[in-house]
């Protein structure tokens, strides 16, 4: 009879130990997601800090695109006020689209295109964009690892017990997935 209770106590202890280990792994994965998004926030902040300089440099040359410049400034302010990851991502995507419009319109302004200040800003912008791309990959990797832990057995049981939900990966907007037609870029 004592052996019977000892075996049950041992089984319960093993189950509890496995549950604790799984819970700790899930928490570490959540922390990795937070750390990864924090890196994205840092990169976005660098980008947002470049925007005023870019707008001021371009403003003197691009009088016809003033609405684009105003829109970028408005979006930048909105991004700084965003509270949730989804709001920040939406603002980020809109800013990225409008800045691409500015960069594309630079071709129409040879003096701006040759400006040393603009070239320096453009180089800084490209570095920040590459950093953002790298941090998005890191974030998506952390989200995937977390989702794998909470969607597979036995982590699934622990995750459900503690109300853990699936995290969302950083998704590229549909418009950016389409192939670019070189013919359309050079059409006048």
């Amino acid at each position: 009879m004592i052996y019977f209770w000892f075996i049950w106590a041992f089984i319960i202890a093993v189950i509890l130990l496995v549950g604790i280990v799984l819970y700790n792994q899930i928490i570490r994965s959540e922390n990795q997601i937070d750390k990864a998004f924090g890196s994205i926030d840092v990169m976005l902040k660098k980008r947002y800090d470049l925007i005023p300089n870019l707008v001021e440099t371009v403003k003197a040359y691009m009088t016809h695109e003033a609405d684009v410049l105003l829109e970028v400034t408005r979006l930048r302010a909105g991004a700084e006020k965003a509270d949730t990851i989804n709001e920040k991502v939406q603002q980020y995507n809109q800013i990225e689209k409008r800045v691409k419009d500015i960069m594309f319109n630079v071709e129409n302004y040879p003096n701006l295109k040759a400006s040393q200040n603009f070239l320096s800003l453009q180089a800084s912008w490209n570095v920040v964009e590459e950093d953002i791309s790298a941090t998005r990959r890191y974030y998506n990797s952390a989200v995937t690892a977390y989702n794998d832990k909470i969607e597979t057995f036995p982590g699934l049981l622990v995750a459900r017990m503690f109300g853990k939900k699936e995290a969302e990966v950083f998704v590229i907007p549909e418009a950016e997935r389409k192939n670019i037609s070189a013919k359309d870029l050079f059409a006048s």
Side-chain angles (χ1 to χ4, degrees), residues 6 21 36 39 48 57 64 144 166 178:
F6 180 71
V21 168
S39 296
Y48 298 147
T57 302
H64 299 293
T144 301
E166 184 178 332
K178 295 178 182 173

Side-chain angles (χ1 to χ4, degrees), residues 36 39-40 42-44 46-47 92 124-138:
S39 296
I40 290 174
V42 168
M43 293 301 117
L44 292 177
K46 281 184 176 183
R47 175 199 270 167
Y92 157 75
S124 296
W125 187 269
N126 289 338
V127 168
V128 168
E129 288 300 317
E130 289 172 12
D131 290 345
I132 289 171
S133 178
T135 55
R136 276 195 296 199
R137 284 190 303 274
Y138 174 63

Side-chain angles (χ1 to χ4, degrees), residues 18-61:
V18 168
I20 290 169
V21 168
L22 290 172
Y23 178 78
N24 287 340
Q25 288 177 347
I26 291 170
I27 295 301
R28 279 193 286 279
S29 291
E30 282 180 325
N31 291 340
Q32 281 298 106
I33 291 171
D34 291 342
K35 178 182 170 186
F37 191 77
S39 296
I40 290 174
D41 252 357
V42 168
M43 293 301 117
L44 292 177
K45 176 71 172 125
K46 281 184 176 183
R47 175 199 270 167
Y48 298 147
D49 290 346
L50 284 174
I51 289 173
N53 294 333
L54 182 64
V55 168
E56 287 304 314
T57 302
V58 171
K59 200 184 281 186
Y61 295 94

Side-chain angles (χ1 to χ4, degrees), residues 74-154:
R74 185 189 65 75
L75 289 170
R76 179 182 180 267
E80 289 178 347
K81 294 177 186 172
D83 293 324
T84 67
I85 290 175
N86 286 340
E87 288 173 358
K88 287 182 181 188
V89 168
Q90 288 172 353
Q91 291 292 329
Y92 157 75
N93 289 335
Q94 290 176 1
I95 288 171
E96 187 171 14
K97 181 182 180 306
R98 299 311 278 172
V99 170
K100 283 181 181 179
D101 292 343
I102 291 172
M103 295 299 190
F104 181 72
N105 284 323
V106 165
E107 298 299 319
N108 299 326
Y109 299 90
N111 292 339
L112 173 60
K113 199 169 145 182
S115 164
Q116 189 59 42
N117 193 20
F118 178 76
L119 292 174
S120 175
L121 284 169
Q122 191 176 34
S124 296
W125 187 269
N126 289 338
V127 168
V128 168
E129 288 300 317
E130 289 172 12
D131 290 345
I132 289 171
S133 178
T135 55
R136 276 195 296 199
R137 284 190 303 274
Y138 174 63
Y139 174 81
N140 285 344
S141 176
V143 167
T144 301
Y146 169 78
N147 287 342
D148 287 348
K149 282 184 177 84
I150 69 165
E151 292 173 352
T152 57
F153 185 81

